[in-house]
Each structure stands twice: as C-alpha cells, then as structure tokens.
Amino acid sequence: MTDRDSSAESPADRSFEIELKLLIDAIYLKYHYDFREYAGASLKRRLLAALERFDCATLSQLQDRLLHDTEVFPQLLDYLTVQVSEMFRDPDYFLALRQTVIPMLRTYPSLKIWVAGCSTGEEVYSFAILLREEGLLDRTLIYATDINTNALARAAAGVYSVDRIAGFTDNHRRSGARNSLSDYYTAAYGRAMFDKSLRKNIVFSDHSLATDSVFAEVQLVSCRNVLIYFNRELQDRALGLFSDALCRKGFLGLGSKESLRFSRHADAFADLVREQRLFQKQDFAA
Amino acid sequence: MSAADFDAIVIGTSAGGIEALSRLLPALPAALHASVLIVLHLPRDRPSLLADLFAPQCALAVCEAEDKEPLQPGTVYFAPPDYHLLVDRERDGSVVLALSSDELVHYSRPSIDVLFESAADAYGPRLLGIVLTGGNQDGAAGLAAVHREGGRCIVQSPDEAQAAYMPEAALRRGHADEVLTLAQIAERLSRL
Ligand SMILES: C[S@@+](CC[C@H](N)C(=O)[O-])C[C@H]1O[C@@H](n2cnc3c(N)ncnc32)[C@H](O)[C@@H]1O
C-alpha cells in the first residue's frame, strides 16, 4: 500500500478536510484571523452549520464568497466563534472569587483585571458588579477582550433582553450577592440596560489570544469557556500569555470544565480553589 | 466482533439510560483495550453524579470527561452536563477529548449525534456505536455517521427499551448491524 491509500476516511470527507484547511488558510491570509489551531471537531460542526446558513454546497463555494464579498466574513465570524454566555455563569465560581481571591486583591492599591474572550459582556458586568459590591470597582481597571467585534460592541452597550434577567438574578444571588441585581440596571421596552457607571473602568478591545501579545500587567485573568475551542498548542499559547501578563502571585480563573492538567504550563500555576478552576501563579526559583 | 476490533465504543441514551447502563457497564472486562465514551441526557443545570454512581459497579476506571484529556484505553468517560463531548485529533496524532458549549442539538447538550459524528471521524472503522433506550431522536444521525465511516452499529431492541423512540429513530434513520436486547449487548461487551 502506498501512503496515498492509507487514509481511513471516506473520499467525500477527505475532500471536506482539504476544503476546511484551505478555507481557514484563506481567512488567515485575507482577514488575519487565525483559526488554524482551533479544536477541529467542533469547528467542523460550526462550518457545516455555516454552509446551510450561507446556502453553499461546499466549503470551496463558501471560500469563493468569502474572498470576493467582504460582507460575508463578519457574518461567518459568528459561526466560527461561539457566543454563549450568562451573567454570573457558574455562581460558585464568583462565590469562590469573593471568598478567596477578593481578600487578597484588597491588599493592592490599584488593580488590573483581564477578562479574555468576554463575548457579549455578561462576564465583565458580573465582575464589575462583584467588584462594586466588594468596594473595589473604583480602583480597578478591567480589560475586556475578544476577537468578535460584533460581540464587543454589544458588550460595550450593556443591554440584554429582560427574558434573561431572571436567570441572571438567580445566578447573582447564588454568587454571594450583597445587593439586588435590579440595583444595577433599568428595564424598559423588554430590555435591561446596565448602569453606565459600571463600565467607567472597563476598556473593551479587539485582541486575539491566537495572534496578539501581552498588553499589560494584571493581578487577575479570567478566561472562561474560550480555551475549549482551542487545540492543545493554542491553549498553551494563551496560557503562556496569561502567565506573562500576571504579576507575581497573580490569579487565573478558567471555565468549569477547563483544566491546566494537560498543558505545558501546568507547573506555572498552583490550585487555589480546585473545583472552581481558580489558580495562582507560582514563584520559580531563579 | 472481537477484542482487537475497536479503539473506542460510544454509547448514547436518555430516558431509562441509567438502568440500561447499570446492566451494560459492569459487563465490560477489566482488560478492555477500547475507551468508552457515553452521552446520557440529564438536566443541564446540575452536576452529574454518573461517574460516582457507576465507578463502584465497574471493573474499569470511570470518570467525567475533561477538555483535552488524552483518551486512555479501558476507561469510561461520561459527558459532563451542559457540554457537548467530542473527540479530536491533535497535531501530533494523539486523540483527545474535547468539550464545547455550542448550541443544543435535538434540545440536548451533551448531544449523542455530536459525540458519535466526531468519534466516527476520528476512529473510522475502529469504532463501535451503541444506541440504547431514550425519548428523542438524538443519536440517529450519529449512528449513520458511524456506519458511513465503516464503524459497527448496535441498537437496543425497541421492544425491550424503556423508551422506544430513540432506538426506533436510530433504526429508521441510522443503521444497525445488529438489533439486540440489553442482555445480548452485555454478553457481546463482556467478550471484548
Ligand atoms: C463561549 S464564549 C465565552 C464567554 C464568557 N467568557 C463566558 O464564559 O460566559 C467564547 C468567546 O471566545 C471568543 N474567542 C474565540 N477565539 C478567540 C481568540 N482567539 N481570542 C480571544 N477571544 C476569542 C469568542 O469570540 C467568544 O466570544
């Protein structure tokens, strides 16, 4: 047998893999978004969904549209990235932050926090509210970054459908809330608009964990449900950025099913609250 | 069907699934070479106790899947609640577990189709797919993918299933090499 027949895949699927690689390369060359090291299986599913949405029979057709019609890419970006979020998602994470991390953050005269992959802002507003309740918001600068600029614009607006508020309120309460969530928004016409003063100290910016570098020294990085979309190499790149951005003894929080166990950077962090995926940067002997 | 045929076994079930698995998983032999990946539909907002429930009944290690975990032979992995479980191949060729919070499929996350389709891509003919009792059509498209990539497909007999809809849908839409009772499936597994 030659190398050529050694593939176990069926012929149709083999073409799909080729087209997928070409499409991802085309996106990188034309739009400088790098999806080359994303986890393959879920990326494939999302592209299959995009084929239906854009009414294309093959990824080659989609690639053709993508290269020649610049309006297609921003729409495709919503398929390539996943915008699922909630306020105080996994309340126990925020409770553990209040109980374990906040007391240590209080010792700093001023704070910088990086919420990486902030999507439409739910996580960032959760942080702003938590920090306000803990009396730290005024001395904190929050960097909220994502590659999806539509999502960033919505994050900066801070407006959510009121249908979602009951869930947010319940999560907030379970996170050790000191006030009622309704203190932080005004509702009108089916929408809840979060208080402008919450975002006074938030900087929203377009930043990719795949291609950009560290931009500030921070005391805490929260990057939740982003790394699961990356393969191991890209996870390692992102974790390297976090390790570089964090100050000595800085804190890292991940999503509830994300772990450092399989990463090259596992030793750079120690468990702080294991079940809540809160870690602390380790000192190394020089 | 012999011990050396499969690198992985994927199992999908919903209503009645805990009971069905209590009959199948204890049958898996301690020396099993394949990894076993399971999606059982459960409420999305509660931690799952499946690994704790089944570990004492099994000769194999039983755990909840973690993202990027390299697949170990002879280990049973459950999809965590509210995440899809997929199988991915890393650049170095190693096969790892992957989680995603992409949209629900057939109102479910985790979804059986998502697991089966990605496993079919990763394992091709070296995969065994099993659809058991359940109340919706999740798993049918997944089983079709397992078959398309050359894997082997077993469906629990709908007559015997606590909820017949899922195995029936799998038979209609998917493909079955064999339609078997739980006792027969357990017997097959014990010989792997
Ligand atoms: C599922 S959302 C997570 C939202 C929020 N952190 C949470 O846990 O609720 C994933 C986000 O990661 C963003 N993302 C994907 N690739 C990225 C990259 N290379 N750099 C930064 N953000 C990225 C997506 O645009 C999306 O907004």
Side-chain angles (χ1 to χ4, degrees), chain A residues 38 81-86 89 116-119 123 146-148 207-210 224-226 229-230, chain B residues 101:
Chain A
Y38 277 50
T81 61
V82 177
Q83 308 299 326
V84 179
S85 194
E86 303 166 19
R89 182 179 193 171
C118 68
S119 186
E123 186 183 352
D146 204 285
I147 56 168
N148 187 317
H207 177 280
S208 171
L209 297 168
R224 312 195 69 217
N225 306 298
V226 181
Y229 297 103
F230 297 173
Chain B
S101 46

Side-chain angles (χ1 to χ4, degrees), chain B residues 6-30:
Chain B
F6 306 111
D7 291 333
I9 302 170
V10 287
I11 304 177
T13 179
S14 67
I18 296 201
E19 276 178 71
L21 291 173
S22 318
R23 302 209 16 220
L24 292 189
L25 300 186
L28 291 166

Side-chain angles (χ1 to χ4, degrees), chain B residues 23-24 154-157 160 179-187:
Chain B
R23 302 209 16 220
L24 292 189
I154 293 180
V155 175
Q156 183 186 4
S157 159
E160 176 208 56
V179 182
L180 301 173
T181 64
L182 281 180
Q184 290 168 321
I185 301 174
E187 195 270 331

Side-chain angles (χ1 to χ4, degrees), chain B residues 58-91:
Chain B
C58 290
L60 304 176
V62 181
C63 52
E64 189 169 276
E66 282 198 48
D67 187 53
K68 300 297 167 298
E69 185 168 1
L71 273 143
Q72 301 296 334
T75 305
V76 178
Y77 300 96
F78 278 99
D82 210 23
Y83 287 85
H84 292 303
L85 172 62
L86 305 94
V87 179
D88 243 321
R89 220 171 252 286
E90 290 285 337
R91 283 280 145 99

Side-chain angles (χ1 to χ4, degrees), chain A residues 13-51:
Chain A
D13 263 33
R14 184 80 191 118
S15 313
F16 187 90
E17 306 303 327
I18 294 169
E19 289 177 294
L20 191 148
K21 187 176 179 316
L22 293 172
L23 178 76
I24 296 301
D25 281 347
I27 291 172
Y28 181 62
L29 293 172
K30 174 115 183 176
Y31 299 101
H32 313 293
Y33 280 79
D34 192 353
F35 291 98
R36 293 176 299 180
E37 305 289 339
Y38 277 50
S42 63
L43 187 64
K44 173 176 174 179
R45 288 197 72 85
R46 291 194 295 280
L47 283 172
L48 284 170
L51 282 184

